[in-house]
Amino acid sequence: MAMIDYHNLYDPKPVPIYRCQGKCYSDTIYTFDIEVSSLFKIDGTWQCFDKGISDYKDIPKCAVPYIWMFGIEADGKCNVYYGREFKDLKKVLRKISDKNRHKIIWVHNLSYETQFLLDLISGYTIEKLCARQTRKPIRYCIKELNIEFRCSFLLTNLSLEKAAKRYTSIEKASGELDYNVLRHSRSYLSPEELHYCEMDIRTLQAIIEHFRDDPVDGYGSLDKIPLTATGEVRRELRDRVDMPYIWAVQKQTAGSVHIQQLLMRAFMGGITHASYLHAGRILHDYLSIDITSDYPSALCAFRYPAGGWCEITPEKANRMNRESWAVLYHVRLHNVECKYINTYILASKCVNYYEILHQPEGAKITMDNGRILSCYNLPIEMVLTEVDFDIIREMYDIGEIEYVECWHTYKDFLPKELILYILDLYKFKTTLKGVTSDDGMAEALYAKSKGRINSVYGCCVTSQF
């Protein structure tokens, strides 16, 4: 095995293609990686990492790519190409571009590599961008090239080395590239260092090949591989709960676009918020409590909306038994003031958030790091579950509650198959808890198992099951 100069790139054309959502996809695996030198400006000079410096927070940093590698599956094997000048990668992207075949390029930690790709792709149209947050893309497509970049790290939730051990028989090279050596595009690279670069691509290609072709875990084609690990959990859930049941639940719980929009507006994450009385202070010997596996426990133990939503009057909604009935309140709260130190109303979840943010003339609004302490002369418009509605009425003095609309449905336990699946995941997680290994694999699998349990919760609160 050896890397090939990118000038000799061979991209096989007669590859299997198939139609998905009206588009032809290439089932060839393309992979990409770079190696960079990290530089730190210390005493006016750019230099490599200095172990004698404990805090790099305020030190200017930069990184210089000195080699890039590109893998193309051909004739059942992985051809690895390389270039030293980063600008030459643009030639490769143009060469593999095919308007008749949509191609996916896999990158382990796409968010990092994208920072170096920005200049290369700035002249193109970026579409179908999916990201966790700013500068954290999961995937994006270059329209003119019909090419998609996709992150493999978020698919595995493991480092490249640990993902290779988990999914392949290939061992990633390690210890052959000293990251404390400053390099640039004309620096000499030894055969051992080039081998290290090559194996990163071969390892990644084998991982993606596992997800495509494995008889147990494989998805059969590249476009069916999910974007994140949550997609794996979704597939296992579908295997346990048949699709007609899923469609029936979707039709019941979100029977219209309007109800779906209300449900999405009502959703909030966990309430974690520091007290404004102690903001900016370090507190010592303070008590804190963490409830172990709270999300999976709640999914198994409590009842949730289970039927179609029907509109109801506010008077009846307020009399509903909260154990048996779920209620959606669309309300406007006039002249509110919190009675306690802890606040609950999150300004960003208000329908009129931007109006609250700019505080129109006459309004008197007091905020606590994004949460509302008091608001006068401007109604707060929100969509709330019965749980949030009752908490807000308890925590705030409210001058008037204006009801826009109310909807209700009955509650029931989640499907037995889903509960048993959660218990299976929890059992697997607990068997790994506290287990250690020399290579860190046991710890990585434990973290991944925790992530899979959290992904079950994620399946329950996304706009699409």
Side-chain angles (χ1 to χ4, degrees):
M1 297 187 297
M3 289 196 291
I4 309 167
D5 186 277
Y6 76 92
H7 289 98
N8 300 311
L9 184 143
Y10 165 65
D11 184 22
K13 294 297 181 182
V15 295
I17 60 174
Y18 48 89
R19 291 194 174 273
C20 177
Q21 298 178 351
K23 181 177 288 189
C24 288
Y25 279 76
S26 168
D27 218 21
T28 297
I29 298 174
Y30 297 88
T31 49
F32 172 68
D33 190 23
I34 63 174
E35 294 295 340
V36 305
S37 277
S38 297
L39 304 177
F40 307 89
K41 197 170 187 178
I42 303 172
D43 297 330
T45 304
W46 289 103
Q47 54 187 276
C48 61
F49 178 76
D50 186 347
K51 294 181 179 179
I53 299 176
S54 58
D55 186 6
Y56 274 79
K57 182 179 179 181
D58 298 321
I59 295 178
K61 310 171 186 66
C62 74
V64 178
Y66 57 85
I67 187 172
W68 54 264
M69 298 80 68
F70 197 89
I72 300 179
E73 182 185 26
D75 303 323
K77 61 181 182 180
C78 177
N79 291 334
V80 183
Y81 301 88
Y82 76 97
R84 300 301 302 271
E85 295 286 348
F86 207 68
K87 62 183 180 181
D88 294 332
L89 176 63
K90 200 167 189 175
K91 301 175 185 177
V92 172
L93 296 180
R94 288 173 179 166
K95 190 168 184 178
I96 69 167
S97 174
D98 187 341
K99 65 179 181 179
N100 296 317
R101 293 175 173 86
H102 183 78
K103 297 180 177 181
I104 301 174
I105 300 173
W106 303 87
V107 186
H108 211 71
N109 195 5
L110 178 61
S111 59
Y112 184 77
E113 264 76 357
T114 296
Q115 306 311 309
F116 298 93
L117 289 169
L118 289 177
D119 288 340
L120 271 68
I121 64 178
S122 60
Y124 295 111
T125 303
I126 304 301
E127 61 180 7
K128 296 183 179 178
L129 171 65
C130 178
R132 294 177 297 160
Q133 59 190 61
T134 305
R135 300 187 184 90
K136 299 289 184 181
I138 299 173
R139 75 102 181 264
Y140 53 85
C141 300
I142 303 175
K143 182 179 179 180
E144 290 83 355
L145 300 179
N146 199 21
I147 287 173
E148 173 182 341
F149 282 92
R150 194 179 289 191
C151 184
S152 56
F153 173 75
L154 293 174
L155 172 64
T156 62
N157 280 339
L158 295 170
S159 68
L160 189 61
E161 181 179 4
K162 291 182 173 60
K165 292 179 180 179
R166 174 74 173 82
Y167 297 111
T168 77
S169 58
I170 295 179
E171 185 173 348
K172 178 186 179 298
S174 59
E176 297 170 356
L177 199 61
D178 187 353
Y179 284 92
N180 289 327
V181 176
L182 296 184
R183 300 182 179 89
H184 52 78
S185 60
R186 297 186 180 181
S187 298
Y188 170 76
L189 295 178
S190 68
E192 292 77 17
E193 291 169 333
L194 290 172
H195 175 72
Y196 178 97
C197 299
E198 177 186 356
M199 289 308 297
D200 276 2
I201 289 293
R202 296 193 182 279
T203 298
L204 179 54
Q205 198 258 338
I207 292 169
I208 302 305
E209 189 175 345
H210 167 88
F211 280 97
R212 184 191 64 185
D213 300 335
D214 188 81
V216 177
D217 297 331
Y219 289 84
S221 60
L222 294 180
D223 82 301
K224 291 184 173 63
I225 298 176
L227 295 179
T228 65
T230 303
E232 286 193 83
V233 174
R234 285 196 180 99
R235 185 180 72 161
E236 292 182 9
L237 282 174
R238 290 190 180 103
D239 290 341
R240 295 192 177 214
V241 183
D242 59 9
M243 286 307 298
Y245 174 83
I246 294 174
W247 293 328
V249 169
Q250 288 176 330
K251 188 175 181 180
Q252 285 178 330
T253 56
S256 68
V257 173
H258 179 62
I259 290 295
Q260 179 71 3
Q261 289 174 337
L262 290 178
L263 291 170
M264 293 175 68
R265 282 195 177 277
F267 171 73
M268 286 194 292
I271 301 298
T272 55
H273 192 63
S275 169
Y276 64 86
L277 296 179
H278 304 292
R281 296 171 56 193
I282 298 176
L283 304 178
H284 299 278
D285 300 324
Y286 216 76
L287 177 65
S288 63
I289 298 174
D290 179 32
I291 303 175
T292 303
S293 302
D294 195 26
Y295 276 139
S297 173
L299 289 172
C300 295
F302 295 99
R303 301 173 189 266
Y304 295 93
W309 292 88
C310 299
E311 196 163 6
I312 191 175
T313 64
E315 294 77 18
K316 288 185 177 180
N318 291 336
R319 293 198 302 267
M320 285 282 183
N321 184 310
R322 302 313 201 199
E323 294 294 324
S324 304
W325 296 93
V327 183
L328 275 176
Y329 289 92
H330 184 181
V331 296
R332 296 188 184 98
L333 309 176
H334 296 261
N335 299 328
V336 303
E337 183 164 352
C338 190
K339 297 185 287 185
Y340 303 98
I341 294 172
N342 290 321
T343 51
Y344 195 82
I345 297 178
L346 188 62
S348 62
K349 293 303 297 182
C350 298
V351 177
N352 57 336
Y353 167 62
Y354 291 103
E355 190 178 12
I356 293 171
L357 193 64
H358 293 96
Q359 299 203 21
E361 186 177 354
K364 297 180 180 179
I365 305 172
T366 306
M367 304 281 285
D368 170 23
N369 193 25
R371 299 186 185 274
I372 295 177
L373 279 168
S374 64
C375 182
Y376 290 93
N377 302 327
L378 179 69
I380 298 171
E381 186 173 353
M382 301 187 75
V383 179
L384 302 166
T385 66
E386 78 282 357
V387 176
D388 292 326
F389 183 68
D390 292 343
I391 291 174
I392 288 173
R393 286 196 300 176
E394 168 63 28
M395 292 187 64
Y396 287 81
D397 286 323
I398 304 174
E400 179 190 354
I401 300 176
E402 178 187 348
Y403 295 90
V404 180
E405 57 185 322
C406 299
W407 298 79
H408 81 293
T409 187
Y410 69 90
K411 289 181 179 180
D412 202 352
F413 290 105
L414 293 174
K416 178 182 177 182
E417 294 84 356
L418 174 56
I419 292 175
L420 291 176
Y421 179 58
I422 294 171
L423 294 176
D424 286 346
L425 290 177
Y426 183 75
K427 179 181 178 182
F428 180 68
K429 187 197 80 165
T430 53
T431 58
L432 292 171
K433 188 172 184 177
V435 178
T436 59
S437 59
D438 294 337
D439 59 1
M441 192 64 191
E443 294 87 341
L445 288 177
Y446 173 71
K448 182 176 174 65
S449 66
K450 287 181 66 176
R452 290 175 74 83
I453 292 180
N454 293 335
S455 293
V456 175
Y457 169 75
C459 291
C460 297
V461 297
T462 49
S463 58
Q464 181 179 2
F465 186 80

